């Protein structure tokens, strides 16, 4: 299960043969994302386990399992901002119940990110996915 926005990224990645071009595309996705307001760059939104500074601020509309999931995010590293943009494409607009059913490792593997990120970046990406899944599960259970 993937959103249309994520499918478009996957199609672009299929078109780009060279990993350097894909890397640049991820950075461009990050540059296109609106910055996170300084007021939300606080310990409560900071993602632990990332080598870079990363903040993810959930934005939930509705209640229970049908609530729509979205988030704002930012990082001090351009490639990580791009990874946040990829995760935004993967999850944004899903219900909180659907977020828990997304096989993020499999979807991200379609982009080859599992093979081309350093272990630190991969760990940070996993930490971001876990934060998203945890927040969604908490809302779905409420």
């Amino acid at each position: 299960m993937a959103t249309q926005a994520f499918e478009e990224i996957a199609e672009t990645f299929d078109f780009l043969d060279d990993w350097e071009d894909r890397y640049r595309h991820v950075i461009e996705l990050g540059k296109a994302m609106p910055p996170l307001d300084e007021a939300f760059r606080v310990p409560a939104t900071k993602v632990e386990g990332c080598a870079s500074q990363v903040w993810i601020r959930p934005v939930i509309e509705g209640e229970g399992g049908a609530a729509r999931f979205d988030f704002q995010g930012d990082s001090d590293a351009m490639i990580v901002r791009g990874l946040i943009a990829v995760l935004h494409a993967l999850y944004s607009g899903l219900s909180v119940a659907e977020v828990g059913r997304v096989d993020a490792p499999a979807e991200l593997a379609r982009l080859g990110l599992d093979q081309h990120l350093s272990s630190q970046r991969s760990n940070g990406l996993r930490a971001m996915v876990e934060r998203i899944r945890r927040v969604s599960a908490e809302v779905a259970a409420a």
Side-chain angles (χ1 to χ4, degrees):
M1 171 187 9
T3 64
Q4 184 59 38
F6 186 80
E7 289 301 333
E8 289 171 11
I9 293 172
E11 287 173 21
T12 300
F13 266 58
D14 285 343
F15 179 73
L16 298 172
D17 293 332
D18 182 45
W19 180 250
E20 287 300 314
D21 291 337
R22 291 177 176 186
Y23 204 74
R24 268 193 294 280
H25 184 63
V26 169
I27 290 171
E28 289 303 315
L29 291 170
K31 286 180 180 176
M33 231 177 32
L36 183 65
D37 189 295
E38 282 295 323
F40 298 118
R41 292 176 182 228
V42 294
T45 61
K46 191 163 190 293
V47 178
E48 298 301 325
C50 299
S52 308
Q53 300 281 319
V54 176
W55 299 271
I56 290 182
R57 176 182 173 253
V59 179
I60 311 292
E61 290 182 22
E63 296 179 10
R68 290 278 143 213
F69 180 80
D70 196 0
F71 72 90
Q72 297 170 327
D74 211 341
S75 175
D76 60 350
M78 287 311 297
I79 187 66
V80 177
R81 262 182 76 80
L83 295 174
I84 293 168
V86 168
L87 290 179
H88 190 265
L90 183 62
Y91 289 111
S92 184
L94 298 178
S95 71
V96 291
E98 290 169 327
V99 166
R101 294 194 296 267
V102 171
D103 185 349
E107 295 295 339
L108 296 170
R110 290 173 51 202
L111 304 182
L113 292 177
D114 54 334
Q115 299 167 349
H116 290 93
L117 292 177
S118 68
S119 60
Q120 275 189 316
R121 292 271 186 256
S122 293
N123 289 340
L125 190 56
R126 267 193 300 280
M128 289 185 270
V129 168
E130 285 307 311
R131 165 69 66 90
I132 289 166
R133 291 175 61 91
R134 187 174 68 247
V135 167
S136 295
E138 289 168 0
V139 172

